[in-house]
């Protein structure tokens, strides 16, 4: 019996009995074409977003990674020296051809005003080397072969094997030197990798501090945000809307203003200390230092990031039917058991989303630790920003630090996915 649609249309069939469209195209082929057209339309709609992400996210990250390992100063601005020093064994002073190449590079570099860049790169590894290179370069046009004796006569520091070994090492265009520095390691004069002196070891400590303080802030947001989200989800609509406005209120004010408010509240002569003195909890001489340290950073950032924990939790809790709790109670569970064994497991998608969101935001935060963190409460992001305003070498160090931070965030994301599962997240 022929298939008849509701409007009376009778589908046609081809010779094999398969359904066809009005123009005779097999129905399956027509459906596949239609699906491909729908996919193309969907792709065209997201092309602007993909282009925006590629330009503003992917390209800068790739540029940052390349910059963190690219080391062109010596190889590009001392090309003759780089070529000549390659065969040197590093045990004795370089041969005459290396000194001659250095003299030629200095003449060209002085003319092109590029010798200072190479000298600056060497100076970062050996303080004072810039004066040596620039001082010799100014007199290189007066030198006559043999250049080896001429360089030693100009300055006996050219007999330092450490300097020449450094020059040879820095002729490599790709170097891990900035990553070693970002992890508190460095090269010895002979090229071995060792830990930096303890007094200069700051970056690993800051990475560890940033991670654990972000975990503490995330935990504090969870402890404070879970009851608030539960209250929002269970209160009558009119009351919960009012409470929701209070939760969203911080978004209506500037982050700088909110951080400044905490500076007023938490300083030793601030409101909180005044209240504690007034209540007799502490005396006037025992005012607590709650700012310009880790405590100040944790308090201020917990307040700022709290809405990012409450909103995903609320979106999940709102969908949990109250009848589940009543059913658990009717089966004999008390209020606590019903909450822990029935209600809480259902909130895990929102809880996981809130934890991930707050932690990732916290680990890269800059302005609040910079304002209220003092020396002990700053994050690694503060040192990254500080290095970005310095010399070319500092900018490369900042790129290496930022790349390590990015890898650290990806590692935590991978760990979170293994333990909880990203597919269980629910942001709203």
């Amino acid at each position: 019996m022929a298939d008849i649609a509701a409007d009376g249309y009778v589908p046609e069939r081809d010779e094999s009995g398969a359904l066809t469209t009005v123009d005779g195209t097999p129905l399956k082929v027509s459906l596949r074409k239609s699906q491909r057209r729908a996919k193309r339309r969907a792709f065209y709609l997201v092309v602007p977003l993909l282009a925006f992400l590629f330009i503003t996210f992917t390209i800068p990250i790739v540029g940052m990674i390349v910059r963190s390992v690219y080391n062109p100063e010596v190889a590009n601005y001392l090309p003759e020296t780089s070529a000549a020093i390659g065969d040197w064994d590093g045990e004795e002073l370089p041969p005459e051809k290396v000194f001659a190449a250095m003299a030629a590079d200095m003449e060209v570099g002085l003319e092109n005003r590029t010798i200072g860049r190479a000298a600056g790169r060497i100076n970062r590894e050996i303080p004072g080397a810039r004066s040596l290179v620039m001082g010799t370069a100014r007199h290189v046009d007066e030198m006559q072969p043999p250049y080896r004796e001429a360089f030693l006569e100009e300055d006996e520091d050219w007999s330092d094997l450490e300097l020449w070994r450094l020059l040879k090492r820095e002729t490599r265009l790709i170097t891990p030197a900035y990553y070693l520095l970002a992890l508190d390691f460095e090269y010895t004069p002979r090229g071995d990798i060792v830990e930096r002196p303890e007094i200069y070891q700051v970056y690993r400590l800051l990475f560890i501090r940033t991670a654990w303080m972000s975990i503490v802030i995330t935990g504090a947001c969870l402890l404070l945000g879970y009851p608030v989200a539960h209250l929002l989800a269970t209160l009558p609509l009119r009351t919960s809307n009012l409470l929701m406005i209070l939760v969203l209120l911080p978004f209506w004010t500037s982050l700088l203003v909110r951080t400044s408010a905490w500076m007023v509240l938490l300083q030793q002569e601030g409101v909180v200390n005044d209240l504690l003195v007034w209540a007799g909890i502490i005396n006037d001489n025992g005012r607590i230092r709650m700012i310009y340290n880790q405590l100040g950073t944790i308090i201020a950032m917990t307040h700022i990031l709290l809405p990012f924990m409450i909103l995903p939790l609320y979106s999940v809790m709102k969908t949990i039917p109250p009848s589940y709790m009543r059913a658990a109670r009717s089966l004999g569970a008390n209020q606590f058991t019903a909450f822990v064994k029935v209600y809480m497991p259902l909130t895990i998608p929102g809880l996981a989303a809130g934890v991930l969101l707050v932690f990732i935001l916290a680990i890269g935060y800059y302005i609040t630790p910079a304002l209220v963190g003092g020396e002990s409460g700053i994050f690694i992001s503060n040192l990254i920003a500080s290095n970005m305003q310095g010399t070319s070498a500092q900018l490369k160090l900042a790129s290496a630090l930022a790349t390590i931070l990015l890898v650290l965030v990806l590692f935590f994301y991978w760990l979170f996915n293994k333990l909880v599962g990203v597919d269980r997240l629910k942001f709203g």
Side-chain angles (χ1 to χ4, degrees), residues 313-426:
L313 278 169
Y314 168 72
S315 69
V316 172
M317 290 178 176
K318 194 66 179 173
T319 62
I320 301 174
S323 58
Y324 287 9
M325 289 289 286
R326 290 198 294 270
R329 295 292 305 276
S330 69
L331 291 174
N334 57 35
Q335 185 71 22
F336 179 77
T337 304
F339 185 81
V340 171
K341 292 194 173 181
V342 176
Y343 191 83
M344 284 187 70
L346 294 173
T347 63
I348 285 181
L351 187 148
V355 167
L356 189 65
L357 196 59
V358 171
F359 179 78
I360 290 178
L361 286 173
I363 205 168
Y365 235 68
Y366 167 72
I367 188 167
T368 305
L371 291 176
V372 303
E375 289 186 4
S376 63
I378 60 171
F379 282 9
I380 191 67
S381 54
N382 298 107
L383 274 194
I384 292 173
S386 174
N387 278 295
M388 281 184 173
Q389 300 168 4
T391 62
S392 172
Q394 286 178 296
L395 185 58
K396 292 178 181 181
L397 175 60
S399 299
L401 289 168
T403 304
I404 293 173
L405 184 62
L406 175 64
V407 172
L408 191 64
V409 171
L410 292 176
F411 169 75
F412 279 116
Y413 183 82
W414 171 82
L415 188 65
F416 183 88
N417 186 34
K418 286 291 181 184
L419 295 177
V420 180
V422 177
D423 54 339
R424 302 185 65 183
L425 297 183
K426 188 172 181 181

Side-chain angles (χ1 to χ4, degrees), residues 154-202:
E154 178 69 25
D155 197 316
E156 62 180 13
D157 285 346
W158 286 108
S159 64
D160 186 0
L161 288 180
E162 182 180 336
L163 171 66
W164 290 104
R165 287 173 185 146
L166 170 66
L167 277 170
K168 182 177 181 180
R169 192 176 72 234
E170 293 302 317
T171 56
R172 295 176 296 185
L173 280 174
I174 303 297
T175 177
Y178 296 103
Y179 282 95
L180 293 176
L181 197 59
L183 295 171
D184 293 328
F185 289 92
E186 63 181 4
Y187 281 112
T188 64
R190 300 193 68 84
D192 300 323
I193 297 174
V194 296
E195 274 193 317
R196 301 189 77 196
E198 192 171 348
I199 192 173
Y200 297 123
Q201 293 182 14
V202 293

Side-chain angles (χ1 to χ4, degrees), residues 182-185 195 201-209:
L183 295 171
D184 293 328
F185 289 92
E195 274 193 317
Q201 293 182 14
V202 293
Y203 298 117
R204 273 186 297 179
L205 174 67
L206 269 175
F207 274 118
I208 294 171
R209 180 196 297 170

Side-chain angles (χ1 to χ4, degrees), residues 223-280:
L223 287 176
L224 296 174
Y226 198 95
V228 176
H230 181 256
L231 198 62
L232 279 168
T234 53
L235 282 174
L237 186 61
R238 187 171 181 178
T239 311
S240 67
N241 284 341
L242 181 62
L243 188 58
M244 178 61 80
I245 291 174
L246 296 178
V247 171
L248 297 176
L249 197 60
F251 289 123
W252 300 352
T253 56
S254 162
L255 175 62
L256 189 61
V257 171
R258 280 179 277 163
T259 305
S260 302
W262 280 111
M263 295 170 70
V264 173
L265 289 171
L266 297 179
Q267 59 184 302
Q268 283 185 299
E269 299 297 328
V271 177
V272 176
N273 267 305
D274 286 344
L275 287 174
L276 293 175
V277 172
W278 175 79

